[in-house]
Amino acid sequence: MNSPANITDPLVLFMPSGKRGRFPVGTPVLDAARQLGVYVESVCGGRATCGRCQIEVQEGNFAKHKIVSSNDHITPKGAKEERYERVRGLPERRRLSCSAQILGDLVIDVPQDTVINAQTIRKDADTRVIARDAAIRMCYVEIEEPDMHKPLGDLDRLKIALMKDWNLKSLDFDFYLLPQVQGILRKGNWTATAAIYKDADSETARVIALWPGLKNEAYGLACDIGSTTIAMHLVSLLSGRVAASSGTSNPQIRFGEDLMSRVSYVMMNPDGREGMTVAVREAISGLVDKVCAEGNVQRNDILDSVFVGNPIMHHLFLGIDPTELGGAPFALAVSGAVHVKASDIGLKLNQGARLYMLPCIAGHVGADAAAVTLSEGPHRQDEMMLIVDVGTNAEIVLGNRTRVVAASSPTGPAFEGAEISGGQRAAPGAIERVRIDPDTLEPKYRVIGSELWSDEPGFLDSVQATGVTGICGSGIIEVVAEMYLSGIISEDGVIDGGLAARSPRVTANGRTFSYVLKEGEPKITITQTDVRAIQLAKAALYAGTKLLMEKQNTDHVDRIHFAGAFGSFIDPKYAMVLGLIPDCDLDKVSAVGNAAGAGARMALLNRGYRREIEDTVSKIEKIETALEPKFQEHFVYAMALPNKVDPFPKLSAAVKLPPRKTVSEDGVAGDAAPRRRSREGHAARRGRE
C-alpha cells in the first residue's frame, strides 16, 4: 500500500491464501488483492469485461480473525458489473473484484476455478500393488426361465442361482432393486451380473446392483478429506488399477484456516455446520465428476467408497456437529468404523453404492491417521517407526509390533504459509526451495513451476507467467533453517541485527530485524515474527514426539516417515536442522506421500485391511498432550534450533551446525557458547536438581 493503513480502516482477509490487510473505504477489492500479492486474474485491465477477477464474499462471524463479514460490507453491483452479468452471466454470490469496493470488514474467497496459478494439489496415488479382496464382487449367473409348473418368482430364482454358483450361504437384496428385477432379467435374456456386497464377517451378503447380461466393470473411490486439500482416487475394484486421481482445495478453508477456527465458526453461526457440510460434499461431488471424466467412467459404475479425514473433517462430512471436539474431553460422536450407503450422505453414485469410513483413533487423531498407520504398518515391524503427518494439526504415530502410541500437536497453519508475512499455499510462483551463502548472506531460491534457481540464466523468463508471489511451507522451513546455518539467526531464533552492517539483506524492522529474501514486487521478507511462528509450530510437533518417545521408553527412533502432501516436499535435512523431528540417520527419513490416501485404497481393495486397522486402532494408546505435565518443558527446549538440550549427533555428522551464540530480542549478538551439552550431562544436571 502506498500509505500506512489506519487501524480504523476495514480489515480484508483473502482466502485460501490467508493474506490480510487494512484498506480505506472505497478501495476496489482487486486493488486490495494486488497490494497484498494475492493473485486475482484480470485480463481486461479492470473494465469489467473479461470476468476473470471473480470473488465471493463469505458471510458470518469469523472469531479467530475478529472479522464479521457481510455482503453489506461491499458496494452493490454497478452499471458495468450489471452489464457483464446481463450479457455473460455471473454465478450466484460471485462479484467482479475490479468493480466491487470495500465498505467494511470482509472475508473474500478467491474461487479456484478462476485462478490460473491456483494451489497445487500434489496427492497422486502411489504405485503399490494391493492384494484384492474387495467388499464388492461382480457375479454373473444364468437363471432358469419362468415355468408354470414351478411358481417361483424371478427374484427368488435369481437368488437361488447366485447362492448356488457363487457359494453364498445367505443373500439379501437392496429394496430399490425389487421393481427392476423382471425387466433386467428379460433384457439380459435370463442372464445377469449382480454386484454382491459383503464386508463384515457375517454370513449374509447383499445384492446392491444388477445389470442384464455380463457386466465386467466396477469402480470404487478412495478419498482423503484434508483440512486444506481433498484428494480422490478412482480405482477399479476388479483389477486394482487407479483409473484417475484428482485433488482440490477444501472449500471449508473460507470458514477458518485451522480446525479450531472451524469449530468456532460452527459455534458462532447457527447454520455453520450445515454450511461446511454442504461445502465439503459439493467439493467431493465435483471431484467425482473430474475423476469420472478422466477415467472415462460412469458414476453408476461406482459401487464402493472409502473416506478418511481428521476427526473434525470426519464429523462435518457425516453431517455431525463437531462442537464437542472443540474442548476437553474432545468427545467423538462416533469413533468406530462407519458403514452406510453413499446415498445416505447425498453422494450420487450407483444407487446401491456403499461408503466406509475408517475408525478414528481419538478426539484429535482421526481416520486419516488410522489410514496412514495402515499404509505404513508400524505395527507389522520390529523397528521403532515415527510417522508424522504435518498439517494445521500434526498427527504423530510412534511404535512397532509390540506397542503403538499416538498423539496430535497443534502446529497451526504456519507451515502452510498462513500467518507468515510473505506466506502462501503451494501454487505456481511460490518459493519452495532456499539456499543462503554463509559468507555473503545472499539467497537463491526456486519456485513452483520452474526448475531453475533464481541465480541461473533464464530464471526470469521461466517464471514470467506466474511471477514470484510468495513462499510456501517447504520454502519457509528451508529459509529459517538456512538462516540458522548461515548465522543470521541464533539457536534461539533471534535475527542478528549486527549483520546489517555486513549485508543489506538484514534490515531493521522496528525493534527487531528482518531478512530480505526477494527484492522488488512483491518484496518477500522473513520477519522476526515469522521466525517465531515457525518456532512455535515446530516446537509443538517436537514436544509431542518427545512425549511419545518417553511413553515408549526410547531415546531414539529407527525410521521417520513424513506423510501427507506437504510432507512429500519437506527436505529431511532441513526438517532436522529446524528441530521438527528427532535425530535420525538421514537416509532413514523419507516422504511417503499421501499415505492416508494409500491406506484408503488398501481398505477399498481389501476388506481384510478394514479388519486389520479396526483391530489395530483398538490397541493404539492415545496420549493427550494437553494433559501431560512434561509437554511444556519439552516445548520450551524445542523452541531452540535444533533443540536446547537434545543432541543431534547423526545430524551433526552430516551437516556442519553453526557455533552457538546468543542474540538479545533487539538483535544484539552476545558471546559464543559451547556447541551443546551432552545428553548424559543434562541428565546428571537434572538429577542434581
Side-chain angles (χ1 to χ4, degrees):
M1 293 169 59
N2 295 328
S3 58
N6 190 313
I7 60 172
T8 61
D9 288 339
L11 179 61
V12 182
L13 170 68
F14 285 91
M15 297 304 249
S17 70
K19 294 185 176 181
R20 73 199 71 198
R22 292 189 179 275
F23 299 90
V25 169
T27 303
V29 175
L30 180 60
D31 289 355
R34 286 173 170 170
Q35 291 180 47
L36 289 175
V38 175
Y39 187 85
V40 177
E41 187 178 1
S42 176
V43 176
C44 66
R47 296 181 179 84
T49 58
C50 72
R52 305 298 288 272
C53 68
Q54 295 176 27
I55 52 95
E56 288 182 15
V57 175
Q58 300 306 317
E59 294 198 283
N61 186 339
F62 298 82
K64 177 184 175 184
H65 307 291
K66 298 182 175 63
I67 294 176
V68 176
S69 179
S70 168
N71 273 306
D72 294 335
H73 295 174
I74 200 168
T75 53
K77 293 174 183 174
K80 289 183 178 179
E81 201 171 2
E82 287 181 342
R83 183 184 70 243
Y84 178 88
E85 184 175 30
R86 186 171 59 252
V87 175
R88 302 277 298 277
L90 199 59
E92 187 179 359
R93 299 179 59 227
R94 294 279 178 92
R95 295 294 303 275
L96 299 183
S97 62
C98 63
S99 296
Q101 297 177 5
I102 297 165
L103 297 180
D105 292 354
L106 289 167
V107 175
I108 298 289
D109 187 38
V110 181
Q112 297 301 287
D113 59 3
T114 68
V115 180
I116 287 179
N117 55 347
Q119 180 179 350
T120 303
I121 311 298
R122 301 183 275 198
K123 288 194 172 183
D124 292 335
D126 61 20
T127 56
R128 75 180 67 193
V129 176
I130 300 169
R132 286 179 293 108
D133 182 19
I136 302 290
R137 280 197 297 169
M138 301 293 280
C139 300
Y140 172 81
V141 288
E142 297 177 353
I143 304 102
E144 286 188 12
E145 295 186 37
D147 188 331
M148 291 184 65
H149 301 287
K150 298 178 181 179
L152 201 61
D154 289 350
L155 182 138
D156 298 281
R157 281 181 284 104
L158 170 62
K159 184 176 181 178
I160 289 171
L162 284 167
M163 293 174 65
K164 178 183 176 182
D165 291 357
W166 293 92
N167 195 29
L168 298 169
K169 296 180 180 179
S170 180
L171 193 62
D172 285 335
F173 284 74
D174 273 7
F175 177 77
Y176 86 93
L177 288 171
L178 271 58
Q180 303 177 22
V181 168
Q182 288 192 313
I184 290 171
L185 295 186
R186 283 158 178 77
K187 185 176 181 180
N189 195 24
W190 306 105
T191 65
T193 303
I196 309 292
Y197 172 77
K198 188 174 185 293
D199 181 7
D201 295 330
S202 67
E203 292 186 351
T204 301
R206 177 171 288 273
V207 177
I208 65 168
L210 189 67
W211 292 268
L214 176 65
K215 173 77 171 178
N216 58 5
E217 288 183 321
Y219 292 88
L221 299 174
C223 186
D224 172 21
I225 309 173
S227 57
T228 304
T229 60
I230 305 171
M232 179 178 288
H233 309 301
L234 177 66
V235 185
S236 168
L237 296 176
L238 305 183
S239 69
R241 176 182 64 91
V242 177
S245 297
S246 190
T248 187
S249 297
N250 188 331
Q252 291 177 345
I253 199 167
R254 62 176 177 257
F255 301 100
E257 293 165 345
D258 56 57
L259 297 175
M260 286 301 101
S261 61
R262 294 182 202 178
V263 174
S264 296
Y265 186 87
V266 171
M267 295 169 67
M268 300 186 69
N269 294 274
D271 299 327
R273 196 283 305 159
E274 182 181 358
M276 278 193 270
T277 295
V278 169
V280 73
R281 289 182 180 178
E282 286 180 348
I284 287 168
S285 182
L287 280 180
V288 175
D289 287 336
K290 285 185 180 180
V291 294
C292 283
E294 181 183 332
N296 194 27
V297 170
Q298 301 296 316
R299 276 183 180 248
N300 194 55
D301 290 336
I302 300 175
L303 300 173
D304 201 6
S305 58
V306 174
F307 285 81
V308 301
N310 63 60
I312 291 172
M313 295 301 96
H314 171 283
H315 277 36
L316 287 171
F317 175 61
L318 292 175
I320 300 171
D321 189 327
T323 300
E324 293 297 329
L325 293 170
F330 311 110
L332 290 155
V334 54
S335 57
V338 175
H339 304 256
V340 296
K341 294 184 70 171
S343 59
D344 289 343
I345 62 161
L347 191 57
K348 295 181 180 178
L349 308 174
N350 185 287
Q351 192 171 346
R354 263 39 184 187
L355 184 148
Y356 174 81
M357 289 198 82
L358 271 67
C360 290
I361 296 173
H364 283 297
V365 186
D368 53 348
V372 171
T373 302
L374 176 62
S375 170
E376 301 310 301
H379 55 289
R380 305 186 200 110
Q381 60 181 25
D382 296 321
E383 281 189 318
M384 186 61 68
M385 177 189 288
L386 173 67
I387 305 172
V388 180
D389 192 343
V390 184
T392 55
N393 193 67
E395 294 170 320
I396 318 163
V397 177
L398 176 68
N400 53 25
R401 69 174 72 252
T402 302
R403 184 187 184 201
V404 180
V405 293
S408 63
S409 277
T411 53
F415 287 134
E416 296 178 337
E419 300 179 358
I420 300 295
S421 58
Q424 68 166 86
R425 302 193 186 280
I431 294 172
E432 64 172 345
R433 295 278 178 258
V434 178
R435 301 290 181 269
I436 297 176
D437 188 300
D439 297 320
T440 65
L441 305 186
E442 282 297 302
K444 64 178 181 179
Y445 50 82
R446 276 176 47 184
V447 302
I448 298 174
S450 173
E451 296 298 317
L452 300 176
W453 288 90
S454 58
D455 62 346
E456 291 183 304
F459 171 77
L460 292 178
D461 290 337
S462 71
V463 299
Q464 189 173 9
T466 61
V468 181
T469 55
I471 183 166
C472 67
S474 60
I476 291 166
I477 287 175
E478 292 196 7
V479 73
V480 174
E482 280 280 319
M483 288 170 70
Y484 169 64
L485 292 174
S486 60
I488 295 172
I489 59 176
S490 68
E491 70 163 10
D492 292 323
V494 180
I495 299 175
D496 186 352
L499 297 176
R502 179 174 145 197
S503 169
R505 294 280 177 180
V506 180
T507 61
N509 184 12
R511 295 184 60 186
T512 61
F513 289 82
S514 299
Y515 178 75
V516 179
L517 179 59
K518 174 191 171 293
E519 295 280 10
E521 286 295 329
K523 185 176 183 179
I524 300 172
T525 62
I526 307 301
T527 68
Q528 185 64 68
T529 302
D530 295 337
V531 176
R532 282 284 179 261
I534 295 301
Q535 285 179 276
L536 290 168
K538 74 98 175 179
L541 178 52
Y542 190 89
T545 301
K546 282 288 290 184
L547 284 177
L548 296 189
M549 292 172 68
E550 288 181 345
K551 296 296 181 182
Q552 290 280 26
N553 195 28
T554 183
D555 61 357
H556 73 284
V557 296
D558 299 312
R559 188 174 296 276
I560 300 175
H561 286 183
F562 275 116
F566 177 43
S568 300
F569 295 90
I570 296 176
D571 186 310
K573 179 180 78 172
Y574 288 106
M576 203 174 293
V577 168
L578 196 65
L580 189 70
I581 51 176
D583 193 51
C584 184
D585 287 331
L586 285 173
D587 60 0
K588 296 286 186 73
V589 184
S590 60
V592 293
N594 184 20
R601 282 201 302 125
M602 291 170 68
L604 177 69
L605 289 172
N606 192 318
R607 55 190 173 163
Y609 285 128
R610 301 184 185 188
R611 307 293 85 77
E612 176 185 332
I613 195 57
E614 289 166 7
D615 179 63
T616 300
V617 164
S618 70
K619 298 173 182 175
I620 292 176
E621 298 174 47
K622 170 63 169 62
I623 309 303
E624 183 52 63
T625 56
L627 301 179
E628 293 291 329
K630 290 197 69 176
F631 179 83
Q632 190 62 30
E633 178 184 338
H634 292 316
F635 181 86
V636 171
Y637 290 150
M639 283 290 288
L641 281 73
N643 192 281
K644 202 73 172 177
V645 297
D646 287 351
F648 279 69
K650 293 175 181 176
L651 174 65
S652 298
V655 179
K656 183 180 179 181
L657 297 176
R660 298 180 73 180
K661 69 176 178 180
T662 59
V663 178
S664 64
E665 288 296 328
D666 58 2
V668 178
D671 295 333
R675 168 66 223 147
R676 198 171 301 280
R677 65 171 66 91
S678 69
R679 180 183 299 274
E680 293 79 6
H682 174 59
R685 181 179 62 82
R686 290 198 60 201
R688 290 194 299 272
E689 292 173 352

